[in-house]
Amino acid sequence: MPFIPHTEDDVKSMLQTIGVDSIEQLFDEIPAELRIDELVGVPDALCEMEITRLMRARSRQDGTPQCFIGAGAYEHHVPSAVWDIATRGEFYSAYTPYQAEASQGTLQVIYEYQSMITALTALDVSNASLYDGASALAEAALMSVRANRKVKTSRVLLAAGVNPTYEKVAHAISGNQGLVFDRLPLDRHTGTTDLAALATYDQEVVALVIQQPSFFGTLEPIDRLTDWAHQRAALVIAVVNPTSLAILKAPGHWGADGADIACGEGQPLGIPLSSGGPYFGFMACEKSLVRQMPGRIVGRTTDLEDKPGFTLTLQAREQHIRRSKATSNICTNQGLMVTGATIYMSLLGQEGLARVAQRSQQNTAQLAAKLTSIKGVTRLFDGPHFHEVALGLDRPVGPVLRALAGQEILGGFDLSASHPELGNALLVCATETKTADDLERYRRALSDILSASRK
Amino acid sequence: MPEKLIFEKSRPGRRAYAQAPALATATDIPAEFLRQDRPMLPEVSELQVVRHYTRLSQLNFSIDTNFYPLGSCTMKYNPRACNALAMLPGLLNRHPLGPVSHGQGFLACMYELQEMLKAVTGMRAVSLTPMAGAQGELAGVAMIRAYHVSRGDHERNEIIVPDAAHGTNPATATMCGCIVRELATGADGDVDIEALKQAVGPKTAGIMLTNPSTLGVFERRIIEIRRIVNDAGGLLYYDGANLNAILGKVRPGDMEFDVIHMNLHKTFSTPHGGGGPGSGAVGVGKRLRPFLPIPVVGRSDTDGSYHWLTEKDLPQSIGRLSGFMGNAGVLLRAYVYMRMVGRDGMRRIGEFATLNANYLQSRLRAAGFELAFPERRASHEFIITLKTMARTLHVTAMDVAKALLDEGLHAPTTYFPLLVPECLLIEPTETETREALDRFADAMIAIAERAKSDPASVQGAPYKMPVRRLDDVKAARNLDLAWRPEPRPEL
Ligand SMILES: Cc1ncc(COP(=O)(O)O)c(C=O)c1O
């Protein structure tokens, strides 16, 4: 029993205090016919040395290939200090800060985090996190239905560049409450929303979701889309990459009045890729919408002696108070990831984060230039991009990616499954972690693979 | 304030030089897409950052530093190995969309975790994707709805929820478009069977039951409850947040429940991280198997390799609940924990969690504390009510909770479940020594004495924390939710 400290004497005297003869007797309220004696299917215990050996082997099995995949999760340099500090026991093994006086560390971190998210998004308030970017969009869509009293529909419209998985997740989470999702068509030249379609779109919608940069890495005409939605009394939900906000226009400044809600995947802010999680969803909104927001919020207040301090606030929105009328069922969120992200944003600062954004954008541009110099590789879309670019290949993408993986290069995300209408399409990403040598290595490998199979 | 905000330590032009890449050449992005201002992130050195957040950490209570008997939260020791091994490079840096050729190690862990969770719950299949208990609940209720709809049973939209249930249960039912029917608890702490018989009907979609309940007792008439709900055509949801109490003793699958969510961040010891992340893996029986959320990890019969099961394999699935596969790193920690505990250890967890709770309950009862359910065994947790103290001395459960903090002991859960007045829900967990339990009991006894001799001193607690009691009313009224350079905006 690896983590149980009881000695035989402890057990004896504790049973005596309770007044029973055996531990078994403590389970006498469970109907006998339901009891089991053994757990078949759980292996024998391993000591730390043995499990370490096993996990090292598993880790080695997965290797450390060079990764040019983005599509919603991005490899960035993570300073050592981030997880050194975030995994200190005082952060790592604390619960939700319900006892505020004994949780000022966590609460202040969240307040600083909320401040940073509002700065990045140029909106008034931020919550303390949601599960991830995709589920954050589901919550934002539900929030827009609660908040927008001007229209009587649960139809949410998506700009062409919204991540297709986000749409699936938003549907799975909110569909039972009657939300339906509709999508604007893609302009096949620019890789952004087809503005011509706006003129003929005649459905009433509760909100328009705009992802910037789009799933294809292109830049949506955010100002025009925002103003168009507002003219139709729809709210605007911005799905944004937080790294990009160091240089790209903040949602609060989109169009004439700004987006109403911003949300997205917080992973780029110092969170390891880790097979998809734990990451965190962030959400910010205008102050008039704060009472419709899901999730925890930390506020600054004062104590009995008028000293400043932090506490969870506006809890009347939440499930533990409002139960079936809460804004969401979320309870446990992604607190530790927010701690990591706050340390990351402090270390990078405004200058550092802008450099990460610019360097990633530039590396991706250089990679696209190199790869499109190969015969049979073209750019799918004109126009500006952030740190991802969609490429067309002259043959199916799957086998090419497998051949690259054989050389320890993960060449990108195969768009042909999610977007068959684009043909043999590949989405590539090169963040600040890639050097000129890395880009050249990819070019050479792809060139060899394409020309070898052409022969 | 004990520690200034990081923004107040910021100076224009300062930064952590080692952490950012060299300047790129000017971007070719047109101006209409660019921001004109710089976002207000702090400008500080690396040492300033390290010192600031290290000092903030020291303002927290945590399992690693304090006894933390927070009922319903299972604050057991989080083994360090779980963290270290989940952060090995091949696992930590694996892209979620990477090919399975570069994920067999990771997928093997996930597949074996699914199998172990099946074994401990007795369910037929497991999906690991829900990212916390509440999302597991959402998956479960959505599956129950999908099941009824698949049978053309569109009218079944009522979910029965006992009044003792965690707030996420009714909130989840609403999120799934269902109507909540609240069920009363009997005086003995079990569900009121007569009330249940009244509540079920042709609109019943199912019941959400927590067992042991949040009252800290095992639902003795579980078989009868199942029969009543099944006879009415409803399905059974098992809130497994309290699984720690019954590990290796009894399995929800053997009770013929249709679906369970587990809080891996409770029972399987992944850290709470000051609020998350968690994992709310779900297990299902035969009826709900086709509706499991995706992705699930499958294993090839021919070569034993692992792969993802997706829409193609589970066409009736309720779909995807996260961008990728949920909180993979949390799942890895739970996997390591379960392998270290092993088959026999698993049973001992339930035994010693129960022993510790019953011991502490006995000690507090002997000292005169009033138990909410004095005739019952404690499961892994139990409730005392301070209603007499509150009435006669005007010292409340909240006051006692704050006084415990001054003793270096985290408070139990207060004012939950809502139906027990002035309650403390106490869950010591199996990883605490008898000495730790005695210290807690002694502190409770001393505080109770002080409540008699000097009630004001308890009402004013805490005194030794970084702050005194905080003004929650002011926090909600004068909203200050984000720092701004002066002047601060009025909200
Ligand atoms: C009984 C019970 N059910 C459900 C939950 C919800 O779990 P989570 O916080 O992981 O969403 C909790 C814990 O908070 C709980 O104690």
Side-chain angles (χ1 to χ4, degrees):
Chain A
M1 34 183 168
F3 309 112
I4 296 173
H6 300 62
T7 65
E8 268 177 44
D9 282 349
D10 287 338
V11 175
K12 236 183 266 162
S13 74
M14 290 169 82
L15 289 174
Q16 214 163 33
T17 303
I18 301 169
V20 294
D21 300 327
S22 66
I23 293 183
E24 206 43 47
Q25 220 178 316
L26 298 174
F27 292 89
D28 57 9
E29 289 190 2
I30 301 179
E33 65 267 40
L34 292 175
R35 293 284 312 274
I36 54 165
D37 295 324
E38 243 218 295
L39 271 180
V40 183
V42 178
D44 285 333
L46 299 179
C47 68
E48 185 169 321
M49 182 177 73
E50 292 164 327
I51 185 75
T52 300
R53 191 170 171 149
L54 173 72
M55 293 303 285
R56 286 201 179 132
R58 296 256 162 102
S59 165
R60 267 196 309 275
Q61 225 180 327
D62 292 355
T64 46
Q66 218 162 57
C67 181
F68 294 91
I69 313 174
Y74 302 94
E75 179 188 278
H76 289 291
H77 164 67
V78 180
S80 307
V82 172
W83 293 101
D84 254 24
I85 299 175
T87 56
R88 282 177 64 91
E90 300 94 324
F91 283 134
Y92 187 78
S93 72
Y95 200 73
T96 303
Y98 290 132
Q99 292 293 338
E101 299 85 354
S103 316
Q104 286 297 299
T106 291
L107 286 162
Q108 183 169 335
V109 168
I110 298 171
Y111 179 86
E112 293 180 357
Y113 161 81
Q114 290 175 180
S115 305
M116 293 177 195
I117 292 295
T118 57
L120 283 173
T121 56
L123 288 164
D124 302 317
V125 292
S126 157
N127 72 7
S129 77
L130 297 165
Y131 301 130
D132 75 345
S135 62
L137 174 58
E139 290 280 13
L142 286 166
M143 177 176 164
S144 73
V145 174
R146 291 191 297 272
N148 189 346
R149 305 250 163 77
K150 293 198 192 118
V151 300
K152 282 207 172 42
T153 168
S154 296
R155 181 181 297 274
V156 175
L157 183 61
L158 308 177
V162 174
N163 183 331
T165 303
Y166 281 31
E167 179 179 353
K168 287 186 192 165
V169 172
H171 175 74
I173 292 175
S174 70
N176 277 324
Q177 288 189 71
L179 269 68
V180 290
F181 296 88
D182 201 359
R183 199 181 263 267
L184 289 165
L186 180 72
D187 180 326
R188 294 284 287 276
H189 295 289
T190 60
T192 57
T193 299
D194 184 356
L195 290 175
L198 298 181
T200 55
Y201 192 84
D202 56 6
Q203 302 266 7
E204 188 174 45
V205 296
V206 67
L208 172 66
V209 180
I210 310 168
Q211 180 169 330
Q212 183 80 327
S214 80
F215 184 64
F216 309 109
T218 57
L219 298 178
E220 292 273 17
I222 40 177
D223 297 328
R224 291 202 38 202
L225 288 169
T226 299
D227 291 341
W228 177 81
H230 280 157
Q231 275 153 22
R232 305 166 60 103
L235 295 181
V236 170
I237 299 171
V239 175
V240 280
N241 176 320
T243 308
S244 78
L245 292 181
I247 58 171
L248 295 186
K249 194 184 273 187
H253 299 147
W254 290 5
D257 297 326
D260 305 279
I261 303 169
C263 63
E265 178 53 73
Q267 178 275 329
L269 299 174
I271 314 299
L273 288 168
S274 184
S275 288
Y279 298 168
F280 68 95
F282 61 88
M283 181 185 275
C285 69
E286 280 198 14
K287 62 190 166 207
S288 61
L289 302 182
V290 65
R291 285 186 166 74
Q292 298 302 338
M293 210 179 213
R296 298 180 186 131
I297 299 176
V298 170
R300 183 156 64 161
T301 183
T302 48
D303 73 357
L304 282 178
E305 295 167 358
D306 230 25
K307 271 193 308 201
F310 303 90
T311 185
L312 293 170
T313 193
L314 295 178
Q315 296 190 67
R317 301 164 297 110
E318 292 185 69
Q319 47 75 30
H320 59 286
I321 309 283
R322 197 54 66 80
R323 299 179 73 86
S324 64
K325 297 190 176 59
T327 52
S328 166
N329 68 342
I330 192 168
C331 177
T332 292
N333 59 21
Q334 304 287 119
L336 193 68
M337 314 332 282
V338 157
T339 302
T342 306
I343 299 169
Y344 176 88
M345 286 188 275
S346 299
L347 282 168
L348 272 290
Q350 41 182 260
E351 171 69 20
L353 199 64
R355 287 182 180 215
V356 171
Q358 273 162 6
R359 171 63 56 163
S360 300
Q361 196 253 341
Q362 194 174 59
N363 276 352
T364 299
Q366 283 170 4
L367 177 66
K370 276 179 180 291
L371 299 184
T372 50
S373 72
I374 302 169
K375 183 163 171 278
V377 183
T378 54
R379 261 183 87 135
L380 274 190
F381 306 123
D382 307 329
H385 63 87
F386 181 55
H387 66 8
E388 275 174 287
V389 169
L391 303 175
L393 300 190
D394 63 359
R395 69 198 70 190
V397 174
V400 175
L401 286 180
R402 278 193 290 280
L404 284 166
Q407 300 183 38
E408 298 301 303
I409 294 172
L410 307 185
F413 177 75
D414 183 356
L415 285 167
S416 46
S418 59
H419 297 83
E421 70 280 9
L422 296 179
N424 299 321
L426 172 68
L427 190 64
V428 298
C429 170
T431 62
E432 88 282 9
T433 58
K434 299 295 178 292
T435 64
D437 284 351
D438 298 335
L439 305 183
E440 178 54 21
R441 178 163 167 252
Y442 185 9
R443 187 202 62 78
R444 211 175 316 120
L446 182 63
S447 170
D448 290 350
I449 289 163
L450 294 186
S451 56
S453 56
R454 201 173 280 125
K455 273 176 212 153
Chain B
M1 198 178 339
E3 196 64 36
K4 281 184 179 175
L5 293 168
I6 190 82
F7 306 103
E8 294 165 327
K9 300 176 179 178
S10 172
R11 293 293 176 273
R14 189 180 288 160
R15 58 195 191 87
Y17 289 92
Q19 300 307 339
L23 210 53
T25 50
T27 152
D28 56 1
I29 296 176
E32 62 178 294
F33 298 107
L34 298 176
R35 74 187 290 159
Q36 306 305 317
D37 60 336
R38 275 287 175 91
M40 180 219 59
L41 297 181
E43 298 179 83
V44 281
S45 74
E46 185 162 329
L47 172 59
Q48 282 185 296
V49 174
V50 169
R51 194 173 285 162
H52 178 75
Y53 290 104
T54 301
R55 288 175 65 116
L56 286 188
S57 77
Q58 292 170 331
L59 304 180
N60 272 359
F61 275 23
S62 67
I63 302 174
D64 283 5
T65 52
N66 307 78
F67 181 50
Y68 213 124
L70 197 62
S72 202
C73 301
T74 313
M75 298 296 278
K76 61 169 85 176
Y77 170 57
N78 307 144
R80 284 275 142 191
C82 301
N83 186 53
L85 300 179
M87 295 181 80
L88 291 172
L91 302 169
L92 192 70
N93 300 320
R94 187 181 166 274
H95 194 285
L97 300 170
V100 293
S101 61
H102 288 68
Q104 289 298 305
F106 167 70
L107 289 169
C109 296
M110 295 299 100
Y111 183 82
E112 290 170 13
L113 178 60
Q114 288 172 186
E115 293 299 306
M116 287 192 289
L117 294 175
K118 275 159 66 178
V120 296
T121 58
M123 305 307 284
R124 294 280 182 100
V126 163
S127 168
L128 301 172
T129 78
M131 292 177 281
Q135 214 191 29
E137 293 173 33
L138 183 115
V141 178
M143 282 190 269
I144 289 175
R145 279 218 74 178
Y147 168 82
H148 290 308
V149 169
S150 76
R151 293 156 45 96
D153 222 348
H154 295 273
E155 299 301 303
R156 291 193 181 270
N157 68 343
E158 285 182 6
I159 295 282
I160 299 169
V161 181
D163 55 4
H166 195 264
T168 49
N169 289 189
T172 296
T174 301
M175 272 191 100
C176 292
C178 292
I179 292 159
V180 176
R181 295 221 32 180
E182 202 173 76
L183 195 61
T185 301
D188 59 0
D190 284 341
V191 159
D192 182 336
I193 293 284
E194 286 313 309
L196 176 62
K197 285 180 183 160
Q198 297 302 312
V200 296
K203 303 197 82 177
T204 301
I207 186 171
M208 296 180 88
L209 210 68
T210 309
N211 198 15
S213 73
T214 57
L215 301 169
V217 295
F218 191 86
E219 191 66 62
R220 288 170 295 190
R221 275 163 293 194
I222 189 88
I223 298 174
E224 204 177 339
I225 293 172
R226 175 188 74 208
R227 212 187 42 240
I228 294 167
V229 175
N230 267 342
D231 286 352
L235 268 53
L236 292 118
Y237 184 96
Y238 201 105
D239 180 328
N242 293 340
L243 193 63
N244 213 50
I246 55 167
L247 267 187
K249 293 291 170 190
V250 53
R251 304 189 305 171
D254 299 335
M255 300 181 218
E256 292 179 38
F257 270 69
D258 294 287
V259 51
I260 178 181
H261 90 259
M262 294 153 266
N263 293 59
L264 302 190
H265 48 301
K266 299 181 180 182
T267 314
F268 301 111
S269 196
T270 66
H272 290 71
S279 168
V282 287
V284 292
K286 203 167 73 197
R287 291 193 280 197
L288 294 184
R289 193 178 188 152
F291 306 101
L292 268 186
I294 47 175
V296 175
V297 181
R299 184 166 185 266
S300 154
D301 289 335
T302 44
D303 66 358
S305 67
Y306 301 97
H307 56 271
W308 298 107
L309 301 178
T310 65
E311 290 89 341
K312 286 191 208 81
D313 311 280
L314 286 161
Q316 285 182 286
S317 164
I318 58 159
R320 290 177 184 270
L321 302 174
S322 66
F324 302 102
M325 70 142 314
N327 285 335
V330 176
L331 297 166
L332 282 170
R333 286 168 177 80
Y335 173 75
V336 172
Y337 176 76
M338 290 185 84
R339 293 301 307 266
M340 290 182 82
V341 167
R343 184 173 47 241
D344 292 337
M346 214 64 82
R347 198 179 61 232
R348 293 203 187 95
I349 288 174
E351 289 175 352
F352 284 82
T354 303
L355 176 69
N356 273 0
N358 279 281
Y359 173 74
L360 192 51
Q361 171 171 280
S362 295
R363 277 222 52 196
L364 292 177
R365 185 211 304 253
F369 285 95
E370 189 177 346
L371 302 180
F373 301 100
E375 308 302 322
R376 302 292 305 268
R377 292 261 188 247
S379 59
H380 65 317
E381 60 189 357
F382 63 97
I383 300 181
I384 63 172
T385 168
L386 303 178
K387 61 177 188 245
T388 311
M389 187 190 280
R391 196 179 57 239
T392 57
L393 305 171
H394 305 290
V395 173
T396 64
M398 185 61 74
D399 298 330
V400 171
K402 302 301 182 194
L404 281 167
L405 302 181
D406 278 336
E407 302 297 321
L409 300 163
H410 196 280
T413 296
T414 51
Y415 299 100
F416 173 79
L418 307 169
L419 61 147
V420 184
E422 297 297 331
C423 69
L424 296 180
L425 175 59
I426 305 171
E427 180 183 5
T429 83
E430 73 279 6
T431 56
E432 294 296 335
T433 59
R434 182 192 159 173
E435 302 90 274
L437 307 181
D438 284 336
R439 231 202 109 220
F440 180 80
D442 294 343
M444 286 291 288
I445 293 165
I447 291 167
E449 305 253 302
R450 200 144 58 81
K452 285 189 205 129
S453 60
D454 183 8
S457 78
V458 183
Q459 289 156 342
Y463 301 93
K464 299 180 194 163
M465 295 290 102
V467 290
R468 297 286 305 280
R469 222 175 283 191
L470 291 158
D471 189 343
D472 289 328
V473 174
K474 178 177 172 185
R477 198 168 287 157
N478 308 341
L479 287 180
D480 174 358
L481 309 179
W483 184 83
R484 287 282 174 282
E486 299 298 322
R488 224 179 296 130
E490 292 285 314
L491 284 191

